[in-house]
Amino acid sequence: MEFFDVVQSRHSIRSFVDKPVEPEKLRQLLETANRAPSAGNLQAYEIYVVCDPERRAALARASLGQGYVASAPVALVFCANPNRSATRYGERGVRLYAVQDATIACTYAMLAATALGLASVWIGAFSDQQVWQAIGSPEGLEPVAILSVGYPGEEREPSRRRPLDTIAHYLD
Ligand SMILES: Cc1cc2nc3c(=O)[nH]c(=O)nc-3n(C[C@H](O)[C@H](O)[C@H](O)COP(=O)(O)O)c2cc1C
């Protein structure tokens, strides 16, 4: 799919059919995330690939009961790795770059999902502690975003956006 078609056709999908994501598609999606830029190319993030239904159910509970986290066959948990960024960037790496690295990687994965004919929804409303526990309490990592991925069980109209002129501020 052409890049601008991918961007136009991506919507958050919150209903998934009972069909697994092919391993090669999952791999391609993760390879795409791995192409994302990062501060100093440190890639201060980790991705937890959660296919196990019990762990997905735990992630759904951790996400304030958002059931589609459990019904999507894959949940990708993007975690900031602040210590990795701190090695070069100190406090700015901890506070900012590690989180940005993780979110850019998640964005790449989300767009790759669309290009591969998959649906996704970005989940940000969750208990950090409960998500962290659901992925095995990895030392020093901070969950930043969950991307639920699968085949769509619904069709959606594009959601509205602010008029561009209220967002883009041209300075002379
Ligand atoms: C940082 C962030 C957090 C989000 N958290 C949630 C969430 O917890 N649950 C959910 O259903 N959607 C969540 N979304 C998806 C947004 O609701 C969605 O992107 C927005 O409404 C625009 O719709 P669209 O994705 O279809 O264009 C989140 C998106 C972002 C970027």
Side-chain angles (χ1 to χ4, degrees), residues 1 30 51 61 66 80 103 121 137 141 144-145 147 149-150 156 164:
M1 214 193 280
L30 293 168
C51 301
R61 288 193 296 275
Q66 299 185 73
T103 50
V121 60
S137 309
L141 300 188
V144 167
L147 191 69
V149 180
R156 280 216 30 227
L164 184 57

Side-chain angles (χ1 to χ4, degrees), residues 3-171:
F3 175 75
F4 294 101
D5 293 335
V6 170
V7 172
Q8 285 295 334
S9 59
R10 188 214 57 82
H11 316 298
S12 295
I13 293 294
R14 298 180 177 84
S15 171
F16 298 88
V17 296
D18 186 15
K19 175 182 174 184
V21 174
E22 297 84 344
E24 53 278 14
K25 284 197 175 184
L26 182 55
R27 181 80 196 176
Q28 199 172 354
L29 192 155
L30 293 168
E31 297 278 13
T32 305
N34 196 30
R35 294 308 308 164
S38 62
N41 203 20
L42 288 177
Q43 298 188 268
Y45 64 90
E46 316 294 330
I47 309 170
Y48 285 77
V49 182
V50 183
C51 301
D52 173 65
E54 285 186 15
R55 276 195 206 271
R56 284 192 279 116
L59 288 175
R61 288 193 296 275
S63 305
L64 317 180
Q66 299 185 73
Y68 31 90
V69 180
S71 61
V74 179
L76 301 176
V77 184
F78 288 80
C79 296
N81 186 341
N83 294 334
R84 192 170 169 84
S85 198
T87 55
R88 192 177 309 170
Y89 297 115
E91 188 268 337
R92 192 169 178 81
V94 170
R95 178 175 53 82
L96 190 61
Y97 292 164
V99 174
Q100 290 183 339
D101 289 357
T103 50
I104 296 166
C106 187
T107 304
Y108 270 49
M110 185 175 65
L111 293 173
T114 302
L116 290 164
L118 297 164
S120 70
V121 60
W122 183 306
I123 305 293
F126 52 70
S127 154
D128 298 352
Q129 176 76 11
Q130 287 177 33
V131 168
W132 183 73
Q133 286 171 344
I135 59 171
S137 309
E139 181 82 23
L141 300 188
E142 296 167 7
V144 167
I146 301 172
L147 191 69
S148 290
V149 180
Y151 283 93
E154 63 175 347
E155 288 188 14
R156 280 216 30 227
E157 293 296 309
S159 49
R160 290 165 58 87
R161 291 294 185 264
R162 290 166 60 190
L164 184 57
D165 289 346
T166 70
I167 289 184
H169 307 279
Y170 291 83
L171 301 178

